[in-house]
Amino acid sequence: MNDVVKILGVKINKITLEETVEKVKNFLKDDSSTKPKTIFTPNTEIVMEARKNSDLKGILNHSDLVIPDGIGLVYASRIKKKSLPERVTGYDLSLKMIELAEKEGYSLYLLGCKDGVAKEASEKLLEKHPNLKIAGYHHGYFKGTHIGHKGHEEEKHVIDKINKSNADILFVGLGAPKQEIWINENKDKLNCKVVIGNGGTIDHLAERLKRAPEIYQKLGIEWLYRLIKEPKRIKRQIALPLFVLIVLFSRKKTVE
Ligand code: UDP
C-alpha cells in the first residue's frame, strides 16, 4: 500500500499532522462502526521494541492509524527513499484533537498517570478551552491487562466508568507498551469513537512535565533534553543508535 511505510515490520502511516486531523474528524463522524478507532503514536524506541515483540508489532499493525512520533523514523524512511512526510507527535495530535473536540462538541476522557494528575490536566484544559466537554478522568494505576491482570475487577470498573461517561474521545497514557496492550485488549468493550495511546500527554497537559525547549524540538533532539533531565533513560535511548545501524546495514529489508 502507498499510504503506509513499514519500518522494521511496523506499519506507519505516511501522513502529515493536518491530514491526521482530517482522518480523526472522519473517525468521529463515522457512525457505521460500533468499535472505536485506535490511534498509536510510536517513537523509534517502540518500533525497536516491536521488532523483538511480535505481540506489540501485531497490535500496532492492526490499528487504524499509526503516526511517527520519533524523528528517527522519519530519517530512516528518507534514507530508504520511502519518505514519511513529517514527524507527527502524539502530543501535537492530541492538542489538535482537543481543539476539534471543543469546536465540534465531542467529549474527552483522560485515562492514565498518577492519581490526581488527570484531574489537574482537565482543570488546566478547561482554563484554556472553556467550552471543552471533559467526560471524566481516571488514574492509570489500577489492576488491568497492561500489567498482567486481564479482566480484573478494577479494569472492569474503569471501562464501566468510561462507558457511562459517554465520552467520544479517550486519551490513554499508561506509557508504552502498556497503553498499546491495554487499548488492544479492551477496545471492543469501549463505546467511545476514538482511542489514542498518547504516552506522557496527560502529564504535559497537567504541566507536570515540561516539554523540551523549542530549539530542541526544532532540531528533533528532544530525546537529548530528556536524557539530560533523566539520565536513567540511557537504557531505552541506546535503542536509537542501534536503530540507525540496523536500518542502514541489515541484510533484511528494513524499510518497505
Ligand atoms: N503510567 C500509568 N500506569 C502505569 C504505568 C505508567 O498511568 O501502570 C503513566 C505514568 O505515570 C506516566 C505515563 O504513564 O504518566 C508514562 O509513563 P512512563 O514514563 O513509564 O512511560 P514512557 O515515557 O517510558 O513511555
Side-chain angles (χ1 to χ4, degrees):
M1 276 214 291
N2 284 334
D3 57 349
V4 299
V5 170
K6 268 198 157 182
I7 301 183
L8 305 183
V10 176
K11 173 194 91 171
I12 313 276
N13 286 80
K14 272 171 106 171
I15 199 163
T16 63
L17 176 60
E18 214 173 297
E19 290 162 349
T20 308
V21 175
E22 283 308 307
K23 276 221 171 223
V24 173
K25 274 188 195 167
N26 291 333
F27 288 166
L28 287 163
K29 277 191 217 140
D30 181 9
D31 286 329
S32 65
S33 163
T34 51
K35 289 181 193 169
K37 296 281 193 283
T38 54
I39 306 173
F40 293 120
T41 63
N43 56 18
T44 313
E45 296 154 31
I46 299 309
V47 168
M48 280 291 279
E49 193 164 335
R51 184 171 162 257
K52 287 179 281 170
N53 177 341
S54 57
D55 289 346
L56 176 59
K57 194 191 285 179
I59 293 172
L60 294 169
N61 287 347
H62 287 100
S63 67
D64 297 290
L65 194 57
V66 182
I67 56 171
D69 186 292
I71 194 72
L73 301 175
V74 178
Y75 289 153
S77 74
R78 290 189 182 160
I79 290 166
K80 295 290 181 172
K81 310 240 179 308
K82 301 270 179 193
S83 267
L84 287 167
E86 63 185 11
R87 181 182 185 205
V88 183
T89 71
Y91 182 66
D92 289 336
L93 174 61
S94 302
L95 294 184
K96 294 279 183 194
M97 288 168 73
I98 290 162
E99 283 170 19
L100 180 68
E102 184 183 30
K103 194 163 149 237
E104 307 206 357
Y106 295 113
S107 60
L108 172 68
Y109 197 103
L110 307 175
L111 174 64
C113 304
K114 295 194 182 112
D115 200 11
V117 178
K119 180 172 186 277
E120 221 173 290
S122 71
E123 287 162 3
K124 294 256 159 64
L125 272 175
L126 288 175
E127 284 169 19
K128 288 185 196 141
H129 303 273
N131 296 319
L132 179 67
K133 285 191 223 159
I134 306 262
Y137 44 77
H138 196 285
H139 65 79
Y141 291 85
F142 58 92
K143 289 206 170 85
T145 311
H146 57 305
I147 50 165
H149 296 279
K150 185 167 151 180
H152 192 279
E153 279 311 311
E154 289 182 20
E155 176 164 278
K156 286 187 188 154
H157 170 71
V158 168
I159 293 172
D160 203 40
K161 245 185 105 180
I162 297 168
N163 286 341
K164 284 195 174 133
S165 79
N166 280 321
D168 298 301
I169 300 170
L170 174 62
F171 283 6
V172 183
L174 304 174
K178 291 191 184 79
Q179 61 206 11
E180 285 75 10
I181 293 167
W182 192 86
I183 293 172
N184 182 61
E185 175 61 30
N186 295 305
K187 60 180 190 274
D188 295 348
K189 299 175 199 129
L190 293 163
N191 61 14
C192 54
K193 293 187 175 124
V194 175
V195 188
I196 177 169
N198 52 9
T201 294
I202 300 171
D203 284 302
H204 283 295
L205 293 173
E207 293 167 25
R208 290 277 181 116
L209 277 182
K210 288 271 169 269
R211 254 196 119 181
E214 211 161 299
I215 182 74
Y216 286 83
Q217 294 180 36
K218 284 215 172 102
L219 294 172
I221 52 169
E222 271 179 285
W223 60 270
L224 179 60
Y225 180 78
R226 293 185 78 180
L227 183 60
I228 295 165
K229 290 269 167 191
E230 281 178 81
K232 69 175 189 314
R233 294 187 70 86
I234 190 70
K235 266 200 211 138
R236 288 189 63 173
Q237 294 199 343
I238 282 293
L240 281 164
L242 200 59
F243 172 75
V244 174
L245 291 176
I246 291 169
V247 167
L248 285 176
F249 301 113
S250 174
R251 283 203 199 138
K252 285 192 196 152
K253 216 168 187 187
T254 49
V255 180
E256 51 193 305

